[in-house]
Amino acid sequence: ILDVNLPYLNEYIAARQAAATYYDQAFANHPHILTPVRSKQSTHVFHQYTLRLVNVDRDALRNALAEADIPAMIYYPVPLHLQKAYQDPRYKAGDFPVAERLADCVLSLPMHTELDNEQLAYITEHVLKSINAQH
């Protein structure tokens, strides 16, 4: 399978980066959306495109997107130190406030190599419409 897909790897990366750029531009300077930061010293492939939401009811947004047939995911809803498998008496809620805050406010949008501008417009319009309806 890799031998078949490897010649297309650069195209796949470029498609993901183009989708991320579309999202970046659509959400630029929005007071309730923080987009992923990109380092100028490297490139990012964007396996996921995760927004950080500010003063947004994430569940309401996710539900609104689901009603529009837009899958939005919360990949890491529980910080590692609070997961049952990794419980350790040395760590408790509040010990890693950044991880805990992010677990409560991030949402990942669709990201794959086949996203076209029409789909991206549909997704971004629904995200903006739902967030703006909350404010």
Side-chain angles (χ1 to χ4, degrees):
I1 293 175
L2 288 177
D3 285 340
V4 172
N5 287 324
L6 193 56
Y8 304 103
L9 184 59
N10 289 336
E11 290 176 42
Y12 295 157
I13 291 170
R16 287 176 175 271
Q17 290 170 335
T21 297
Y22 190 104
Y23 284 142
D24 287 348
Q25 292 171 351
F27 303 132
N29 303 313
H30 194 285
H32 300 288
I33 301 173
L34 297 173
T35 58
V37 175
R38 299 197 208 189
S39 172
K40 293 178 183 175
Q41 289 80 27
S42 67
T43 57
H44 194 296
V45 176
F46 287 97
H47 173 68
Q48 298 173 4
Y49 187 89
T50 303
L51 299 175
R52 193 166 120 208
L53 304 170
V54 180
N55 297 321
V56 171
D57 182 336
R58 179 179 66 178
D59 291 334
L61 172 59
R62 189 169 182 218
N63 290 335
L65 295 176
E67 288 176 17
D69 293 322
I70 300 170
M73 301 296 294
I74 303 168
Y75 287 106
Y76 308 104
V78 179
L80 192 63
H81 69 290
L82 298 178
Q83 291 182 19
K84 187 175 180 178
Y86 295 102
Q87 283 181 343
D88 185 309
R90 295 176 296 172
Y91 308 115
K92 63 186 179 314
D95 284 346
F96 298 96
V98 174
E100 293 170 35
R101 186 172 60 249
L102 291 174
D104 290 336
C105 72
V106 296
L107 185 68
S108 296
L109 299 180
M111 174 54 71
H112 53 79
T113 58
E114 294 80 25
L115 285 169
D116 61 32
N117 284 350
E118 183 179 342
Q119 293 167 318
L120 290 163
Y122 182 81
I123 294 164
T124 57
E125 287 169 15
H126 279 80
V127 168
L128 293 169
K129 182 172 111 178
S130 180
I131 290 175
N132 291 337
Q134 292 184 27
H135 296 278

